[in-house]
Amino acid sequence: MLEARLEQANLLKKVVDAIKDLVQDCNFDCNDSGIALQAMDNSHVALVSMMLKSESFSPFRCDRNIALGINLGSLTKVLRCAQNEDILTLKAEDAPDVVNLVFESAETDRISEYDIKLMDIDQEHLGIPETEYAATITMPSAEFQRICRDLSALSESVSIECSKEGVKFNCQGDIGSGSIHLRSHTNVDKPELNVEIDLTEPVSLTFSLKYLVNFCKASGLSNQVKLCLSNEVPLLVEYALSNNSYLRFYLAPKIGD
Amino acid sequence: TPLQNDLGEFFTAI
């Protein structure tokens, strides 16, 4: 059986909120290392990969591998019934028909309990090759969100160019063009504002802004976001969570003109 | 307009 207790319901609320517009029905794969989710969007352009390590829960118990097939719309409805600060416990039997969610308020004695019916989801699992990326940019997640939002007003695509000069986000649209240039930057007092660029070779890739704007819904999960790029491979956008847990998005590049 | 690649071209099903 599975029993996983989260100190704050907020974490799961934010994760589900960040991915629910990209993917609808997903398997939450539970085993003794934690709860993982991998799902591709319908157009096969973006992939969500979530890992909530067992250390992110206290306690965490999962004796056998269990796949919980959940509709994220249904999960959202139920998670809305939880206060952000509620303690959340996920429970399921070994061959479950439902997943049980218990929300406990630390301040009052209120305990609420919900069951969500599970679905049989036959999902293709993708092998993601270990990649030594040519460029890794770590930057404030709010800054990345702003760049994506600003440029999406002008164009459908953004080119991300990384060189010794820094990183440049460029777009061209019907009304004109825009570009934002960032350099490495260290703020001793506010390290969450740091921009770190780790480059082994110059990179230039083009991506759909619609998807990037969507990924940025995860900005509330982490102050910083990591962008990993290599020429001609999908972009990795990573929001690191506590205890080595993470929410990652992969986005296939655009090619040619 | 640049063409959108499919993720399946990079990641294989397992």
Side-chain angles (χ1 to χ4, degrees):
Chain A
M1 70 169 284
L2 167 78
E3 186 166 347
R5 183 176 173 274
L6 264 184
E7 278 303 319
Q8 290 211 322
N10 207 13
L11 176 70
L12 191 62
K13 277 167 127 3
K14 283 183 177 174
V15 167
V16 173
D17 233 23
I19 64 174
K20 70 175 175 13
D21 295 329
L22 213 55
V23 290
Q24 284 77 43
D25 299 328
C26 312
N27 279 323
F28 286 72
D29 296 308
C30 309
N31 60 39
D32 57 3
S33 64
I35 301 178
L37 175 155
Q38 192 205 75
M40 211 170 12
D41 83 300
N42 282 334
S43 54
H44 287 213
V45 171
L47 180 106
V48 178
S49 171
M50 177 207 79
M51 180 70 216
L52 298 179
K53 298 265 190 189
S54 57
E55 295 81 9
S56 292
F57 301 89
S58 174
F60 183 87
R61 181 188 158 193
C62 186
D63 316 315
R64 295 175 58 181
N65 293 3
I66 308 172
L68 303 174
I70 302 178
N71 172 272
L72 294 187
S74 309
L75 183 57
T76 300
K77 284 180 190 168
V78 168
L79 287 174
R80 281 204 187 116
C81 305
Q83 302 283 328
N84 288 344
E85 291 76 28
D86 281 357
I87 298 162
L88 183 160
T89 307
L90 290 166
K91 287 185 210 168
E93 301 294 332
D94 279 344
D97 296 322
V98 296
V99 58
N100 176 253
L101 292 94
V102 180
F103 309 137
E104 292 170 78
S105 163
E107 289 181 336
T108 69
D109 284 333
R110 186 180 200 269
I111 296 176
S112 46
E113 196 168 339
Y114 296 86
D115 280 345
I116 300 176
K117 289 180 195 164
L118 296 175
M119 315 166 66
D120 228 349
I121 300 169
D122 188 19
Q123 221 159 34
E124 193 176 52
H125 206 80
L126 294 179
I128 300 164
E130 283 283 325
T131 307
E132 290 281 337
Y133 288 97
T136 302
I137 303 151
T138 310
M139 63 187 287
S141 51
E143 174 71 74
F144 181 57
Q145 183 170 38
R146 183 176 169 199
I147 290 170
C148 294
R149 266 193 202 152
D150 289 351
L151 297 185
S152 68
L154 275 79
S155 175
E156 285 183 0
S157 317
V158 59
S159 75
I160 305 178
E161 286 173 43
C162 209
S163 69
K164 279 188 290 184
E165 310 302 317
V167 57
K168 205 166 161 188
F169 300 85
N170 250 317
C171 80
Q172 307 238 332
D174 292 340
I175 63 160
S177 61
S179 84
I180 294 133
H181 195 176
L182 296 180
R183 289 192 175 86
S184 292
H185 169 86
T186 307
N187 187 321
V188 180
D189 297 326
K190 294 180 181 170
E192 67 273 18
L193 297 181
N194 287 357
V195 176
E196 196 183 312
I197 299 169
D198 186 7
L199 184 80
T200 52
E201 61 175 301
V203 181
S204 177
L205 284 160
T206 302
F207 299 100
S208 159
L209 278 162
K210 180 180 78 176
Y211 288 94
L212 292 177
V213 167
N214 217 318
F215 299 168
C216 287
K217 289 177 185 162
S219 300
L221 281 164
S222 177
N223 285 329
Q224 293 247 306
V225 62
K226 194 161 87 177
L227 312 178
C228 303
L229 302 111
S230 279
N231 284 320
E232 291 166 31
V233 306
L235 165 73
L236 164 59
V237 179
E238 178 178 295
Y239 295 87
L241 310 174
S242 316
N243 304 107
N244 292 322
S245 295
Y246 58 78
L247 182 59
R248 292 177 182 158
F249 299 95
Y250 293 88
L251 180 60
K254 290 186 163 194
I255 38 154
D257 272 319
Chain B
T1 325
L3 297 171
Q4 178 63 63
N5 268 307
D6 188 301
L7 259 191
E9 290 171 36
F10 305 96
F11 300 154
T12 43
I14 49 172

PDB file of all heavy atoms in Angstrom, chain A residues 44-45 47 125-127 129 232 234 252-256, chain B:
ATOM      1  N   HIS A  44       2.700  16.032 -28.775  1.00  0.00           N
ATOM      2  CA  HIS A  44       4.033  15.396 -28.760  1.00  0.00           C
ATOM      3  C   HIS A  44       5.176  16.399 -28.903  1.00  0.00           C
ATOM      4  O   HIS A  44       6.191  16.123 -29.531  1.00  0.00           O
ATOM      5  CB  HIS A  44       4.148  14.332 -29.859  1.00  0.00           C
ATOM      6  CG  HIS A  44       3.383  13.095 -29.558  1.00  0.00           C
ATOM      7  ND1 HIS A  44       3.777  11.844 -29.953  1.00  0.00           N
ATOM      8  CD2 HIS A  44       2.213  12.912 -28.880  1.00  0.00           C
ATOM      9  CE1 HIS A  44       2.896  10.940 -29.539  1.00  0.00           C
ATOM     10  NE2 HIS A  44       1.936  11.580 -28.891  1.00  0.00           N
ATOM     11  N   VAL A  45       4.982  17.574 -28.344  1.00  0.00           N
ATOM     12  CA  VAL A  45       6.011  18.614 -28.446  1.00  0.00           C
ATOM     13  C   VAL A  45       6.692  18.825 -27.086  1.00  0.00           C
ATOM     14  O   VAL A  45       7.887  19.107 -27.016  1.00  0.00           O
ATOM     15  CB  VAL A  45       5.367  19.944 -28.928  1.00  0.00           C
ATOM     16  CG1 VAL A  45       6.350  21.102 -28.844  1.00  0.00           C
ATOM     17  CG2 VAL A  45       4.875  19.786 -30.361  1.00  0.00           C
ATOM     18  N   LEU A  47       7.143  17.529 -22.843  1.00  0.00           N
ATOM     19  CA  LEU A  47       7.065  16.416 -21.905  1.00  0.00           C
ATOM     20  C   LEU A  47       7.236  16.953 -20.480  1.00  0.00           C
ATOM     21  O   LEU A  47       8.099  17.782 -20.233  1.00  0.00           O
ATOM     22  CB  LEU A  47       8.172  15.407 -22.202  1.00  0.00           C
ATOM     23  CG  LEU A  47       8.215  14.191 -21.295  1.00  0.00           C
ATOM     24  CD1 LEU A  47       7.700  12.963 -22.057  1.00  0.00           C
ATOM     25  CD2 LEU A  47       9.610  13.891 -20.804  1.00  0.00           C
ATOM     26  N   HIS A 125       5.943   5.377 -22.246  1.00  0.00           N
ATOM     27  CA  HIS A 125       7.011   5.940 -21.404  1.00  0.00           C
ATOM     28  C   HIS A 125       8.217   6.208 -22.290  1.00  0.00           C
ATOM     29  O   HIS A 125       8.629   5.351 -23.065  1.00  0.00           O
ATOM     30  CB  HIS A 125       7.352   4.954 -20.296  1.00  0.00           C
ATOM     31  CG  HIS A 125       7.906   5.614 -19.092  1.00  0.00           C
ATOM     32  ND1 HIS A 125       7.124   6.231 -18.144  1.00  0.00           N
ATOM     33  CD2 HIS A 125       9.183   5.790 -18.683  1.00  0.00           C
ATOM     34  CE1 HIS A 125       7.892   6.736 -17.202  1.00  0.00           C
ATOM     35  NE2 HIS A 125       9.156   6.495 -17.501  1.00  0.00           N
ATOM     36  N   LEU A 126       8.779   7.390 -22.169  1.00  0.00           N
ATOM     37  CA  LEU A 126       9.909   7.741 -23.030  1.00  0.00           C
ATOM     38  C   LEU A 126      11.230   7.664 -22.272  1.00  0.00           C
ATOM     39  O   LEU A 126      11.311   8.067 -21.113  1.00  0.00           O
ATOM     40  CB  LEU A 126       9.737   9.162 -23.587  1.00  0.00           C
ATOM     41  CG  LEU A 126       8.579   9.369 -24.545  1.00  0.00           C
ATOM     42  CD1 LEU A 126       8.514  10.820 -24.992  1.00  0.00           C
ATOM     43  CD2 LEU A 126       8.717   8.466 -25.773  1.00  0.00           C
ATOM     44  N   GLY A 127      12.229   7.132 -22.941  1.00  0.00           N
ATOM     45  CA  GLY A 127      13.572   7.115 -22.366  1.00  0.00           C
ATOM     46  C   GLY A 127      14.244   8.437 -22.690  1.00  0.00           C
ATOM     47  O   GLY A 127      14.359   8.808 -23.855  1.00  0.00           O
ATOM     48  N   PRO A 129      17.589  10.378 -22.800  1.00  0.00           N
ATOM     49  CA  PRO A 129      19.026  10.104 -22.694  1.00  0.00           C
ATOM     50  C   PRO A 129      19.739  11.089 -21.771  1.00  0.00           C
ATOM     51  O   PRO A 129      19.351  12.258 -21.690  1.00  0.00           O
ATOM     52  CB  PRO A 129      19.531  10.247 -24.143  1.00  0.00           C
ATOM     53  CG  PRO A 129      18.465  10.962 -24.878  1.00  0.00           C
ATOM     54  CD  PRO A 129      17.188  10.824 -24.130  1.00  0.00           C
ATOM     55  N   GLU A 232      20.192  21.244 -31.414  1.00  0.00           N
ATOM     56  CA  GLU A 232      19.391  20.175 -32.011  1.00  0.00           C
ATOM     57  C   GLU A 232      18.873  19.126 -31.035  1.00  0.00           C
ATOM     58  O   GLU A 232      18.619  17.985 -31.425  1.00  0.00           O
ATOM     59  CB  GLU A 232      20.164  19.505 -33.154  1.00  0.00           C
ATOM     60  CG  GLU A 232      20.318  20.440 -34.337  1.00  0.00           C
ATOM     61  CD  GLU A 232      21.344  19.948 -35.348  1.00  0.00           C
ATOM     62  OE1 GLU A 232      21.496  18.721 -35.466  1.00  0.00           O
ATOM     63  OE2 GLU A 232      21.974  20.790 -35.993  1.00  0.00           O
ATOM     64  N   PRO A 234      16.101  18.626 -27.413  1.00  0.00           N
ATOM     65  CA  PRO A 234      15.070  19.347 -26.663  1.00  0.00           C
ATOM     66  C   PRO A 234      15.656  20.175 -25.517  1.00  0.00           C
ATOM     67  O   PRO A 234      16.660  19.803 -24.907  1.00  0.00           O
ATOM     68  CB  PRO A 234      14.175  18.227 -26.136  1.00  0.00           C
ATOM     69  CG  PRO A 234      14.378  17.103 -27.087  1.00  0.00           C
ATOM     70  CD  PRO A 234      15.820  17.174 -27.479  1.00  0.00           C
ATOM     71  N   ALA A 252      10.633  20.196 -27.527  1.00  0.00           N
ATOM     72  CA  ALA A 252      11.307  19.955 -28.806  1.00  0.00           C
ATOM     73  C   ALA A 252      11.567  21.283 -29.507  1.00  0.00           C
ATOM     74  O   ALA A 252      10.712  22.171 -29.498  1.00  0.00           O
ATOM     75  CB  ALA A 252      10.440  19.054 -29.678  1.00  0.00           C
ATOM     76  N   PRO A 253      12.766  21.426 -30.089  1.00  0.00           N
ATOM     77  CA  PRO A 253      13.066  22.686 -30.781  1.00  0.00           C
ATOM     78  C   PRO A 253      12.312  22.806 -32.103  1.00  0.00           C
ATOM     79  O   PRO A 253      11.785  21.830 -32.620  1.00  0.00           O
ATOM     80  CB  PRO A 253      14.578  22.593 -31.020  1.00  0.00           C
ATOM     81  CG  PRO A 253      14.882  21.141 -31.044  1.00  0.00           C
ATOM     82  CD  PRO A 253      13.884  20.468 -30.157  1.00  0.00           C
ATOM     83  N   LYS A 254      12.273  24.031 -32.629  1.00  0.00           N
ATOM     84  CA  LYS A 254      11.766  24.264 -33.981  1.00  0.00           C
ATOM     85  C   LYS A 254      12.956  24.275 -34.923  1.00  0.00           C
ATOM     86  O   LYS A 254      14.077  24.600 -34.514  1.00  0.00           O
ATOM     87  CB  LYS A 254      11.046  25.605 -34.043  1.00  0.00           C
ATOM     88  CG  LYS A 254       9.724  25.616 -33.292  1.00  0.00           C
ATOM     89  CD  LYS A 254       9.015  26.926 -33.533  1.00  0.00           C
ATOM     90  CE  LYS A 254       7.538  26.847 -33.157  1.00  0.00           C
ATOM     91  NZ  LYS A 254       6.788  27.987 -33.685  1.00  0.00           N
ATOM     92  N   ILE A 255      12.703  23.909 -36.160  1.00  0.00           N
ATOM     93  CA  ILE A 255      13.808  23.883 -37.116  1.00  0.00           C
ATOM     94  C   ILE A 255      13.475  24.656 -38.388  1.00  0.00           C
ATOM     95  O   ILE A 255      12.312  24.759 -38.764  1.00  0.00           O
ATOM     96  CB  ILE A 255      14.200  22.439 -37.545  1.00  0.00           C
ATOM     97  CG1 ILE A 255      12.941  21.579 -37.692  1.00  0.00           C
ATOM     98  CG2 ILE A 255      15.181  21.833 -36.577  1.00  0.00           C
ATOM     99  CD1 ILE A 255      13.111  20.443 -38.652  1.00  0.00           C
ATOM    100  N   GLY A 256      14.540  25.147 -39.041  1.00  0.00           N
ATOM    101  CA  GLY A 256      14.429  25.732 -40.373  1.00  0.00           C
ATOM    102  C   GLY A 256      13.604  27.000 -40.399  1.00  0.00           C
ATOM    103  O   GLY A 256      13.140  27.491 -39.387  1.00  0.00           O
TER     104      GLY A 256
ATOM    105  N   THR B   1       8.033  30.573 -41.288  1.00  0.00           N
ATOM    106  CA  THR B   1       7.920  30.176 -39.880  1.00  0.00           C
ATOM    107  C   THR B   1       8.687  28.871 -39.661  1.00  0.00           C
ATOM    108  O   THR B   1       8.543  27.936 -40.457  1.00  0.00           O
ATOM    109  CB  THR B   1       6.436  29.927 -39.509  1.00  0.00           C
ATOM    110  OG1 THR B   1       5.643  30.862 -40.230  1.00  0.00           O
ATOM    111  CG2 THR B   1       6.208  30.064 -38.031  1.00  0.00           C
ATOM    112  N   PRO B   2       9.461  28.770 -38.581  1.00  0.00           N
ATOM    113  CA  PRO B   2      10.165  27.513 -38.330  1.00  0.00           C
ATOM    114  C   PRO B   2       9.182  26.383 -38.024  1.00  0.00           C
ATOM    115  O   PRO B   2       8.104  26.626 -37.472  1.00  0.00           O
ATOM    116  CB  PRO B   2      11.041  27.811 -37.115  1.00  0.00           C
ATOM    117  CG  PRO B   2      10.885  29.251 -36.805  1.00  0.00           C
ATOM    118  CD  PRO B   2       9.711  29.772 -37.549  1.00  0.00           C
ATOM    119  N   LEU B   3       9.565  25.176 -38.369  1.00  0.00           N
ATOM    120  CA  LEU B   3       8.684  24.023 -38.148  1.00  0.00           C
ATOM    121  C   LEU B   3       8.931  23.421 -36.778  1.00  0.00           C
ATOM    122  O   LEU B   3      10.068  23.367 -36.309  1.00  0.00           O
ATOM    123  CB  LEU B   3       8.947  22.959 -39.216  1.00  0.00           C
ATOM    124  CG  LEU B   3       8.648  23.373 -40.657  1.00  0.00           C
ATOM    125  CD1 LEU B   3       9.164  22.324 -41.625  1.00  0.00           C
ATOM    126  CD2 LEU B   3       7.155  23.580 -40.832  1.00  0.00           C
ATOM    127  N   GLN B   4       7.853  22.962 -36.182  1.00  0.00           N
ATOM    128  CA  GLN B   4       7.959  22.374 -34.849  1.00  0.00           C
ATOM    129  C   GLN B   4       8.352  20.904 -34.942  1.00  0.00           C
ATOM    130  O   GLN B   4       7.693  20.121 -35.606  1.00  0.00           O
ATOM    131  CB  GLN B   4       6.617  22.505 -34.127  1.00  0.00           C
ATOM    132  CG  GLN B   4       6.590  21.886 -32.746  1.00  0.00           C
ATOM    133  CD  GLN B   4       7.561  22.539 -31.779  1.00  0.00           C
ATOM    134  OE1 GLN B   4       7.441  23.706 -31.467  1.00  0.00           O
ATOM    135  NE2 GLN B   4       8.544  21.777 -31.312  1.00  0.00           N
ATOM    136  N   ASN B   5       9.427  20.534 -34.275  1.00  0.00           N
ATOM    137  CA  ASN B   5       9.830  19.135 -34.166  1.00  0.00           C
ATOM    138  C   ASN B   5       8.915  18.370 -33.224  1.00  0.00           C
ATOM    139  O   ASN B   5       8.316  18.952 -32.324  1.00  0.00           O
ATOM    140  CB  ASN B   5      11.247  19.052 -33.589  1.00  0.00           C
ATOM    141  CG  ASN B   5      12.312  19.024 -34.656  1.00  0.00           C
ATOM    142  OD1 ASN B   5      12.258  18.199 -35.551  1.00  0.00           O
ATOM    143  ND2 ASN B   5      13.260  19.922 -34.559  1.00  0.00           N
ATOM    144  N   ASP B   6       8.888  17.056 -33.414  1.00  0.00           N
ATOM    145  CA  ASP B   6       8.157  16.158 -32.523  1.00  0.00           C
ATOM    146  C   ASP B   6       9.157  15.599 -31.506  1.00  0.00           C
ATOM    147  O   ASP B   6      10.277  15.258 -31.873  1.00  0.00           O
ATOM    148  CB  ASP B   6       7.574  15.034 -33.392  1.00  0.00           C
ATOM    149  CG  ASP B   6       6.634  14.138 -32.633  1.00  0.00           C
ATOM    150  OD1 ASP B   6       7.063  13.529 -31.625  1.00  0.00           O
ATOM    151  OD2 ASP B   6       5.475  14.018 -33.058  1.00  0.00           O
ATOM    152  N   LEU B   7       8.749  15.523 -30.241  1.00  0.00           N
ATOM    153  CA  LEU B   7       9.670  15.006 -29.209  1.00  0.00           C
ATOM    154  C   LEU B   7      10.097  13.568 -29.476  1.00  0.00           C
ATOM    155  O   LEU B   7      11.184  13.161 -29.103  1.00  0.00           O
ATOM    156  CB  LEU B   7       8.995  15.056 -27.833  1.00  0.00           C
ATOM    157  CG  LEU B   7       9.331  16.181 -26.876  1.00  0.00           C
ATOM    158  CD1 LEU B   7       8.768  15.858 -25.512  1.00  0.00           C
ATOM    159  CD2 LEU B   7      10.813  16.461 -26.767  1.00  0.00           C
ATOM    160  N   GLY B   8       9.199  12.825 -30.130  1.00  0.00           N
ATOM    161  CA  GLY B   8       9.500  11.435 -30.448  1.00  0.00           C
ATOM    162  C   GLY B   8      10.736  11.270 -31.323  1.00  0.00           C
ATOM    163  O   GLY B   8      11.327  10.189 -31.389  1.00  0.00           O
ATOM    164  N   GLU B   9      11.143  12.338 -31.988  1.00  0.00           N
ATOM    165  CA  GLU B   9      12.364  12.264 -32.801  1.00  0.00           C
ATOM    166  C   GLU B   9      13.617  12.241 -31.924  1.00  0.00           C
ATOM    167  O   GLU B   9      14.699  11.922 -32.391  1.00  0.00           O
ATOM    168  CB  GLU B   9      12.434  13.480 -33.733  1.00  0.00           C
ATOM    169  CG  GLU B   9      11.382  13.447 -34.839  1.00  0.00           C
ATOM    170  CD  GLU B   9      11.340  14.764 -35.602  1.00  0.00           C
ATOM    171  OE1 GLU B   9      12.399  15.376 -35.790  1.00  0.00           O
ATOM    172  OE2 GLU B   9      10.228  15.165 -35.972  1.00  0.00           O
ATOM    173  N   PHE B  10      13.467  12.621 -30.674  1.00  0.00           N
ATOM    174  CA  PHE B  10      14.633  12.713 -29.779  1.00  0.00           C
ATOM    175  C   PHE B  10      14.606  11.659 -28.678  1.00  0.00           C
ATOM    176  O   PHE B  10      15.637  11.164 -28.254  1.00  0.00           O
ATOM    177  CB  PHE B  10      14.686  14.098 -29.133  1.00  0.00           C
ATOM    178  CG  PHE B  10      14.670  15.225 -30.120  1.00  0.00           C
ATOM    179  CD1 PHE B  10      13.476  15.871 -30.448  1.00  0.00           C
ATOM    180  CD2 PHE B  10      15.830  15.621 -30.761  1.00  0.00           C
ATOM    181  CE1 PHE B  10      13.449  16.905 -31.363  1.00  0.00           C
ATOM    182  CE2 PHE B  10      15.809  16.659 -31.685  1.00  0.00           C
ATOM    183  CZ  PHE B  10      14.617  17.292 -31.984  1.00  0.00           C
ATOM    184  N   PHE B  11      13.409  11.368 -28.191  1.00  0.00           N
ATOM    185  CA  PHE B  11      13.264  10.414 -27.089  1.00  0.00           C
ATOM    186  C   PHE B  11      12.547   9.180 -27.627  1.00  0.00           C
ATOM    187  O   PHE B  11      11.541   9.306 -28.322  1.00  0.00           O
ATOM    188  CB  PHE B  11      12.424  11.004 -25.954  1.00  0.00           C
ATOM    189  CG  PHE B  11      12.987  12.267 -25.346  1.00  0.00           C
ATOM    190  CD1 PHE B  11      12.142  13.175 -24.726  1.00  0.00           C
ATOM    191  CD2 PHE B  11      14.347  12.539 -25.361  1.00  0.00           C
ATOM    192  CE1 PHE B  11      12.643  14.332 -24.134  1.00  0.00           C
ATOM    193  CE2 PHE B  11      14.854  13.692 -24.783  1.00  0.00           C
ATOM    194  CZ  PHE B  11      14.005  14.594 -24.166  1.00  0.00           C
ATOM    195  N   THR B  12      13.036   8.008 -27.278  1.00  0.00           N
ATOM    196  CA  THR B  12      12.399   6.795 -27.785  1.00  0.00           C
ATOM    197  C   THR B  12      11.531   6.158 -26.715  1.00  0.00           C
ATOM    198  O   THR B  12      11.836   6.224 -25.521  1.00  0.00           O
ATOM    199  CB  THR B  12      13.460   5.774 -28.249  1.00  0.00           C
ATOM    200  OG1 THR B  12      14.497   5.755 -27.266  1.00  0.00           O
ATOM    201  CG2 THR B  12      14.032   6.142 -29.591  1.00  0.00           C
ATOM    202  N   ALA B  13      10.471   5.531 -27.173  1.00  0.00           N
ATOM    203  CA  ALA B  13       9.553   4.862 -26.250  1.00  0.00           C
ATOM    204  C   ALA B  13      10.246   3.648 -25.638  1.00  0.00           C
ATOM    205  O   ALA B  13      10.982   2.939 -26.313  1.00  0.00           O
ATOM    206  CB  ALA B  13       8.302   4.436 -26.992  1.00  0.00           C
ATOM    207  N   ILE B  14      10.024   3.437 -24.346  1.00  0.00           N
ATOM    208  CA  ILE B  14      10.596   2.251 -23.694  1.00  0.00           C
ATOM    209  C   ILE B  14       9.491   1.408 -23.063  1.00  0.00           C
ATOM    210  O   ILE B  14       8.403   1.873 -22.848  1.00  0.00           O
ATOM    211  CB  ILE B  14      11.654   2.607 -22.615  1.00  0.00           C
ATOM    212  CG1 ILE B  14      11.143   3.691 -21.645  1.00  0.00           C
ATOM    213  CG2 ILE B  14      12.937   3.056 -23.264  1.00  0.00           C
ATOM    214  CD1 ILE B  14      12.035   3.949 -20.459  1.00  0.00           C
TER     215      ILE B  14
END
